[in-house]
């Protein structure tokens, strides 16, 4: 293609190379819905967009795709002219004029092609229908340098050799693919740049990076950056966070400029995200939505919540009333005494003072604040102060492990990070984003080392004298009920932890659902052995105490610590995870007479996070003789969903054993939906998926569990594709769990959709067989996994023995026989039995078994490999 260019002398004609499926569509008689104008960056070429070209030629969704090679790049003309950013934007406009390109046009850009495509978009508003961006940037944050890789490429001693004389810059860029590029793909990317004479554009592109305001291209870049704020067309951002050049800080900047954008971060993908992941499918799904009002992800639920007071309303009412001088929140010391506590009035005053201090520090509506503080007084005050200001709290606990936690924090991109010393040290070492605030005052040297600006203590002191309007915002300044309030991370037990976004309305609905379902009203006294309930307690008006334990490792809760905490507040309610309860039972001999008396006063025990065997609950009942034991079923995306008591579990199990109720059995009975919730299932297909759109509640049909409720999450944070899949049925959240109803209307959970085994005869859900195996005296935790290709998988049982096996590997013949017999009684034929010293479980619950990991390990062992550790 030939065109003139404003960057050249008048009358100069330039030759462009481009890929264009327009003629192909025309020859097939297909009318395109519009045009994708795809612009590559440095040092790629139009080959980068080949998947979009193929997808655009599909008769199901025809779009013309024009993928250009920029001048001096790819197979386009080598002009011998240094072309600045403004020139390249003009060049692209000259080309589209020569092509006669008309709307609707959606621009697609990567790397510096992102900036150029956006420059074209701003200059052609009448043709523009939308923008798609992949790993790019339009602005360099003040006070931060450009990425180290680009600084090196710009260095006078390296620049020419690294970018032009040699092909080093190209090879380094290609090495950023995850997984590595195939040899033929690498060769294709290198093809236009063989020889120094063909790489001048690569070097010039690098030299044109506006590293500071004095650079000639800085005004053009700033013009694009500021122009985006007025761009109201639909936008899609597909991002590879494993990118040493365009990191998440650039994504955050783009989101601030294009808040309407749909955003999806492909965890594990990097700079060449179009090579690392399938981007064509999401792009064309998004294009299909253009012009349609997709509406809320969960329709019809917000109206049910209208008029609900904000999350902290009960707290404020108690502080102002007769109970204001009573204890509101406490935390225990290792010696069994209360380490710290606040009354309701002190809690309200502390929240107000900190809210004022945070406001002075720059926290605003919509600011993201990562809270890395253990449950207790400090976290309670910080959480409610942030929520009251309309800030978005980010809660990702150390239970995710260092890698998981780091991935979560970087993905959420907080503006502020409030943490204890250990968290701040990790932030400094691992480069976590956000202005840093310590919990307590730190010595000046330590503050400088950790990059800490101030402390919660200092902010509270500063805010204690603030005006009432600043410390206690009135209704006019209160957060919008539908504004973002919190990003809570999942456990990461089935893949990278996902950020779950809640609005203020949904958090209030969660509070009301818990209160209504379990009868927890103001005046209740709660021992919170699980972090989420430590935070929810004050919103329920419940006195809350955190026992002496590591809340990121539930199995560290001892019976004595539980009894001490219960005694400190005369507890009526206890929340503890299944792993915590196991350790409480294992250490019950350490409880004193006074401790037993305190536990006898508990009226309600809640435990969730993993299936809990009935024998374990029966043992807990002996320790808490007056307590009603409930095991609500739910997930980070919706907690709770259903509820069941010990007595109801025993009744359901008895009915299942007697065959008295159709559909009873084969899984964990989790009861009936909680207040305000609806539950249904999408039936499983023969391949172990749940592809349909029809859902049922009839007995005996196994499928993916759906839930609809006012307290279901708003969305997955910056995971547009994941959210799209989870809300593909309007009004419902697809949980990824598998289960069925019995004829009495109770839900039985059979496992995770991802863990369904596709055996030759039928699909096998794991939980029913696992429960049967775990009833054996010498078996602790059991997992049923599939080994082999889908549709022909062998069913393998992996057991953690009691006492622990000395080595992992094939189980002893006698044990294997008993395991097979137990599984067969549950209707599952097991092909092989393996033993492990300990099951690989998630850190947060110490109970969710990583069956995907076990499946890979079992495949290796059964193939004759060294067992090692799963």
């Amino acid at each position: 293609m030939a065109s003139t260019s404003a960057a050249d002398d008048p009358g100069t004609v330039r030759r462009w190379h481009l890929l264009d499926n327009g003629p192909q569509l025309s020859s097939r008689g297909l009318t395109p819905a519009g045009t994708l104008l795809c612009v590559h960056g440095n040092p790629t070429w139009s080959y980068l967009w080949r998947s979009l070209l193929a997808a655009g030629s599909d008769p199901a969704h025809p779009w013309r795709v024009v993928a250009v090679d920029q001048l001096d790049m790819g197979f386009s003309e080598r002009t011998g002219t240094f072309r600045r950013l403004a020139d390249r934007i003009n060049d692209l406009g000259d080309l589209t004029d020569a092509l006669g390109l008309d709307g609707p046009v959606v621009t697609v850009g990567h790397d510096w092609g992102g900036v150029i495509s956006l420059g074209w978009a701003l200059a052609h508003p009448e043709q523009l229908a939308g923008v798609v961006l992949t790993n790019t940037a339009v602005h360099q944050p003040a006070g931060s340098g450009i990425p180290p890789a680009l600084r090196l490429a710009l260095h006078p001693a390296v620049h020419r050799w690294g970018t032009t004389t040699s092909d080093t810059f190209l090879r380094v860029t290609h090495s950023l693919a995850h997984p590595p590029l195939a040899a033929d793909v690498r060769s294709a990317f290198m093809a236009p740049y063989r020889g120094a004479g063909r790489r001048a554009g690569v070097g010039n592109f690098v030299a044109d990076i506006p590293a500071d305001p004095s650079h000639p291209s800085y005004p053009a870049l700033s013009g694009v950056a500021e122009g985006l704020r007025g761009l109201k067309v639909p936008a899609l951002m597909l991002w590879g966070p494993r990118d040493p050049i365009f990191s998440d800080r650039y994504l955050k900047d783009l989101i601030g400029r294009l808040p309407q954008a749909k955003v999806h971060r492909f965890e594990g993908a990097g700079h060449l995200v179009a090579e690392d992941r399938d981007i064509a499918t999401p792009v064309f799904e998004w294009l299909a939505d253009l012009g349609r009002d997709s509406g809320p992800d969960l329709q019809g639920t917000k109206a049910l919540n209208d008029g609900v007071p904000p999350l902290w309303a009960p707290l404020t009412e108690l502080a102002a009333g007769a109970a204001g001088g009573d204890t509101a929140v406490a935390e225990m010391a290792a010696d069994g005494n209360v380490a710290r506590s606040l009354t309701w009035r002190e809690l309200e005053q502390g929240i107000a003072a900190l809210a004022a201090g945070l406001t002075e520090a720059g926290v605003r509506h919509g600011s993201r604040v990562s809270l890395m503080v253990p449950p207790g007084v400090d976290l309670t005050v910080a959480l409610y102060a942030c929520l009251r200001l309309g800030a978005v709290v980010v809660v990702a606990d150390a239970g995710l492990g260092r890698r998981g936690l780091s991935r979560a924090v970087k993905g959420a991109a907080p503006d502020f990070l409030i943490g204890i010393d250990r968290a701040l040290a990790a932030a400094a070492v691992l480069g976590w984003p956000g202005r840093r605030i310590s919990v307590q005052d730190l010595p000046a040297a330590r503050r400088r080392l950790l990059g800490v600006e101030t402390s919660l203590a200092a902010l509270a002191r500063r805010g204690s004298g603030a005006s009432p309007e600043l410390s206690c915002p009135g209704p006019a300044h209160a957060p919008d009920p539908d504004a973002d309030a919190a990003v809570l991370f999942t456990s990461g037990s089935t893949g990278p932890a996902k950020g779950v976004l809640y609005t203020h309305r949904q958090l209030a609905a969660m509070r009301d659902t818990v209160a209504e379902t379990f009868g927890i009203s103001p005046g209740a006294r709660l021992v919170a052995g699980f972090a989420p309930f430590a935070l929810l307690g004050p919103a329920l008006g419940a006195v809350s105490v955190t026992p002496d334990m590591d809340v990121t490792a539930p199995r560290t809760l001892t019976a004595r610590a539980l009894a001490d905490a219960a005694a400190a507040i005369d507890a009526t309610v206890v929340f503890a995870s299944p792993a915590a309860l196991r350790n409480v039972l294992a250490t019950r001999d350490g409880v004193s007479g006074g401790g037993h008396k305190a536990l006898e006063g508990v009226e309600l025990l809640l435990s969730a996070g993993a299936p809990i065997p009935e024998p374990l609950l029966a043992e807990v009942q002996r320790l808490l003789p007056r307590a009603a034991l409930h095991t609500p079923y739910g997930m980070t995306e919706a907690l709770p969903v259903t509820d069941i008591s010990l007595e109801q579990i025993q009744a359901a199990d008895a009915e299942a054993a007697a065959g008295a109720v159709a559909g009873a059995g084969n899984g964990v009975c989790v009861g009936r939906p909680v207040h305000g919730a609806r539950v249904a299932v999408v039936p499983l297909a023969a391949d172990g998926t749940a592809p349909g759109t029809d859902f049922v509640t009839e007995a005996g049909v196994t499928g993916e569990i759906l839930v609809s409720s006012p307290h279901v999450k708003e969305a997955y944070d910056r995971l547009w594709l994941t959210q799209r899949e989870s809300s593909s049925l309007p009004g419902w959240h697809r949980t990824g769990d598998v289960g069925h109803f019995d004829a009495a209307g109770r839900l039985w959970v059979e496992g995770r959709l991802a863990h369904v085994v596709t055996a030759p005869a039928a699909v096998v859900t794991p939980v029913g067989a696992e429960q049967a195996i775990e009833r054996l005296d010498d078996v602790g935790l059991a997992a049923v996994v599939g080994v082999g290709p889908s549709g022909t998988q062998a069913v393998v049982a992996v057991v953690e023995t009691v006492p622990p096996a000395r080595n992992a590997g094939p189980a002893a013949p006698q044990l294997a026989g008993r395991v097979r017999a137990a599984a067969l009684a549950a209707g599952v034929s097991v092909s092989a039995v393996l033993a492990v010293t300990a099951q690989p479980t998630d850190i947060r619950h110490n109970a969710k078994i990583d069956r995907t990991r076990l499946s890979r390990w079992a495949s290796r062992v059964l193939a004759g490999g060294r067992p090692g550790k799963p």
Side-chain angles (χ1 to χ4, degrees):
M1 182 68 198
S3 77
T4 59
S5 173
D8 298 306
D9 294 332
T12 304
V13 176
R14 297 299 187 188
R15 296 187 306 278
W16 292 70
H17 175 264
L18 53 87
L19 302 178
D20 183 357
N21 69 343
Q24 184 181 21
L25 293 175
S26 179
S27 67
R28 295 181 178 180
L30 298 173
T31 302
T35 300
L36 294 183
L37 178 60
C38 303
V39 189
H40 68 84
N42 189 27
T44 56
W45 56 289
S46 54
Y47 178 73
L48 181 72
W49 308 115
R50 61 196 182 280
S51 66
L52 296 182
L53 280 150
S57 301
D58 189 328
H61 42 66
W63 275 75
R64 184 183 180 188
V65 179
V66 177
V68 304
D69 286 4
Q70 299 194 57
L71 292 175
D72 300 311
M73 302 292 288
F75 289 103
S76 285
E77 180 181 350
R78 272 39 181 180
T79 67
T81 303
F82 193 113
R83 312 185 89 78
R84 298 286 182 190
L85 173 59
D87 298 328
R88 292 192 175 279
I89 294 172
N90 291 332
D91 286 344
L92 187 59
D94 292 336
L95 174 65
T96 57
D97 287 346
L99 288 171
L101 203 62
D102 200 359
V105 175
V106 173
T107 61
V108 184
H110 173 253
D111 193 88
W112 286 105
V115 185
I116 294 163
S117 68
L118 292 171
W120 185 95
L122 292 170
H124 297 78
E126 69 287 349
Q127 295 168 256
L128 188 68
V131 298
V132 177
L133 298 173
T134 65
N135 287 64
T136 186
V138 297
H139 174 70
Q140 185 62 39
S144 61
I146 63 173
L150 294 181
R151 280 206 305 271
L152 178 63
L154 281 167
H155 194 281
V158 174
H159 175 249
R160 182 168 178 78
W161 171 84
T163 62
T164 307
T165 306
S166 75
D167 59 10
T168 300
F169 190 77
L170 283 93
R171 294 187 181 278
V172 169
T173 301
H174 301 161
S175 72
L176 300 178
H178 307 286
L181 298 177
D184 61 328
V185 174
R186 284 200 313 272
S187 179
F189 273 120
M190 294 290 287
Y193 301 111
R194 301 194 186 280
R198 296 194 58 79
R199 292 194 287 264
V202 174
N204 291 346
F205 238 132
V206 172
D208 196 42
I209 296 171
D212 57 60
S214 66
H215 192 281
S217 286
Y218 188 84
L221 180 64
S222 296
V224 172
E226 292 310 309
L228 289 190
R229 299 189 189 279
L231 200 61
K232 303 304 180 185
V233 296
L236 174 66
M237 300 181 195
L238 303 176
W239 208 264
R242 194 177 171 185
D243 186 347
I245 302 168
F246 297 116
S247 61
D248 278 318
R249 70 178 181 183
Y250 297 107
L251 173 62
K252 179 179 179 179
D253 176 76
L254 285 165
I255 292 172
R257 297 171 192 276
L258 294 170
Q260 75 273 27
K262 306 294 186 185
V263 180
H264 189 87
R265 297 170 70 259
F266 291 96
E267 203 62 64
H271 180 68
L272 295 174
V273 64
E275 298 297 325
D276 294 354
R277 298 292 186 271
D278 169 21
I279 69 162
T281 298
V283 165
F284 279 86
E285 287 179 357
W286 175 77
L287 289 172
D289 289 341
L290 287 184
R292 288 205 308 249
D293 179 14
S294 59
D297 292 315
L298 293 174
Q299 299 170 5
T301 60
K302 290 184 177 179
L304 300 176
N305 256 353
D306 284 345
V308 172
L311 186 68
W312 55 88
L315 183 162
T316 303
E317 292 170 5
L318 285 167
D326 297 340
T327 298
V329 59
E331 56 190 57
M332 301 299 295
D335 62 3
N337 294 312
V338 174
R340 297 172 66 196
S341 67
L342 293 177
T343 66
W344 289 107
R345 193 171 297 116
E346 289 169 337
L347 177 58
E348 172 67 15
Q349 291 168 348
I351 291 169
L354 182 57
L358 288 169
T359 299
E360 287 191 19
V363 178
R364 300 286 184 268
H365 280 259
S367 296
R368 289 196 168 199
V369 183
S370 177
L371 299 177
M372 294 197 168
V373 186
V377 172
D378 291 322
L379 180 58
T380 303
V381 173
L383 173 81
Y384 286 96
C386 289
L387 290 175
R388 187 172 292 183
L389 291 175
V392 181
V393 295
V394 177
V395 182
D397 61 61
L400 297 177
R402 189 180 71 173
R403 286 184 62 190
L405 181 58
S406 188
R407 188 164 47 213
V409 175
K410 289 181 178 178
D415 302 287
F416 296 84
L417 190 155
I418 300 173
I420 57 175
D421 194 90
R422 184 172 59 182
L424 295 169
V429 171
L430 300 174
W432 292 345
R435 294 166 57 187
R436 296 168 197 164
I437 300 172
S438 62
V439 173
Q440 299 298 331
D441 294 330
L442 297 176
R446 184 69 176 166
R447 218 168 44 240
R448 287 192 298 271
L449 179 65
L450 299 179
V452 170
E453 295 183 16
T454 185
S455 68
L456 290 184
L459 292 174
R461 289 192 297 269
R462 193 183 312 161
S464 61
S467 64
E469 292 78 14
L470 190 60
S471 58
C472 296
H477 302 285
D480 185 322
D482 296 316
D484 295 345
V487 177
L488 311 178
F489 276 85
T490 62
S491 66
S493 59
T494 55
K498 298 182 288 291
V500 179
L501 186 64
Y502 278 91
T503 64
H504 288 272
R505 187 188 299 275
Q506 290 154 349
L507 288 181
M510 182 190 298
R511 172 203 62 203
D512 295 345
T513 297
V514 170
E516 182 71 23
T517 301
F518 303 111
I520 302 175
S521 58
R525 298 177 296 279
L526 168 68
V527 177
F530 188 51
F533 269 73
L535 302 178
L536 194 58
L540 293 164
V543 180
S544 303
V545 62
T546 305
D548 176 41
M549 66 179 294
D550 180 356
V551 292
T552 66
R555 60 167 61 114
T556 61
L557 178 63
T558 65
R560 179 178 175 180
L562 177 62
D564 289 341
I569 60 168
D570 295 326
T572 58
V573 183
V574 169
F575 192 104
S577 75
L581 292 179
R582 289 180 190 275
N583 197 54
V584 165
L585 291 175
T587 58
R588 58 188 149 184
D589 291 343
V591 179
S592 66
H596 278 291
K597 184 177 179 181
L599 294 177
E600 289 170 4
V602 175
E603 301 169 2
L604 173 67
L605 170 87
L606 302 174
S607 187
I612 309 175
E614 184 274 335
L616 174 64
L617 282 175
E619 286 290 304
V620 173
Q621 185 73 85
R622 283 189 276 274
L623 189 63
L624 305 172
R626 292 185 53 222
L629 308 188
H630 285 252
T631 61
Y633 158 71
M635 60 284 304
T636 307
E637 296 87 342
L639 182 69
V641 172
T642 66
D643 178 53
I644 192 168
S645 68
L646 172 59
E647 293 78 13
Q648 291 167 337
I649 291 171
Q650 291 169 332
D653 287 346
E655 290 165 357
V661 175
N666 188 32
V668 176
C669 186
V670 296
R672 295 179 174 85
V674 298
H675 173 75
R678 293 187 298 146
V679 180
V681 301
V682 176
L684 286 186
D687 63 356
T689 65
T693 57
D694 295 328
F695 50 87
V696 301
T697 57
E698 63 193 67
V701 178
T702 294
E704 182 182 9
I705 299 170
L706 308 176
V707 59
S708 177
S709 168
H711 64 276
V712 169
K713 57 122 172 86
E714 178 73 8
Y716 287 112
D717 187 45
R718 298 173 185 177
L719 291 169
W720 172 68
L721 284 174
T722 308
Q723 172 60 19
R724 183 184 175 89
E725 181 180 347
S726 77
S727 59
S728 59
L729 292 174
W732 295 92
H733 166 64
R734 304 187 74 133
T735 67
D737 287 340
V738 175
H740 69 275
F741 293 96
D742 63 21
R746 297 171 300 207
L747 180 66
W748 295 73
V749 176
E750 302 177 49
R752 292 285 294 171
L753 189 63
H755 300 151
V756 169
V757 181
T758 55
V763 295
V764 174
T765 54
V767 171
E770 291 169 352
Q771 282 192 306
I773 295 168
E774 287 175 353
R775 293 191 184 100
L776 298 174
D777 291 338
D778 48 356
V779 173
L781 295 176
V784 168
V785 300
V787 171
S790 178
T792 61
Q793 288 186 318
V795 181
V796 177
V798 183
V799 298
E800 177 182 317
T801 61
V802 180
R806 298 181 66 180
N807 297 297
Q814 190 176 20
L815 173 61
R818 292 200 306 277
V819 169
R820 284 192 176 93
L824 192 59
V828 176
S829 178
V830 170
S831 300
V833 180
L834 303 176
V836 292
T837 56
Q839 296 281 19
T841 61
D842 69 301
I843 302 173
R844 178 184 291 178
H845 299 285
N846 298 146
K848 293 184 177 181
I849 299 172
D850 189 340
R851 291 173 178 82
T852 303
R853 180 173 161 187
L854 275 184
S855 178
R856 293 194 298 266
W857 174 80
S859 299
R860 186 176 74 242
V861 172
L862 294 175
R866 292 174 60 86
K869 184 180 179 181

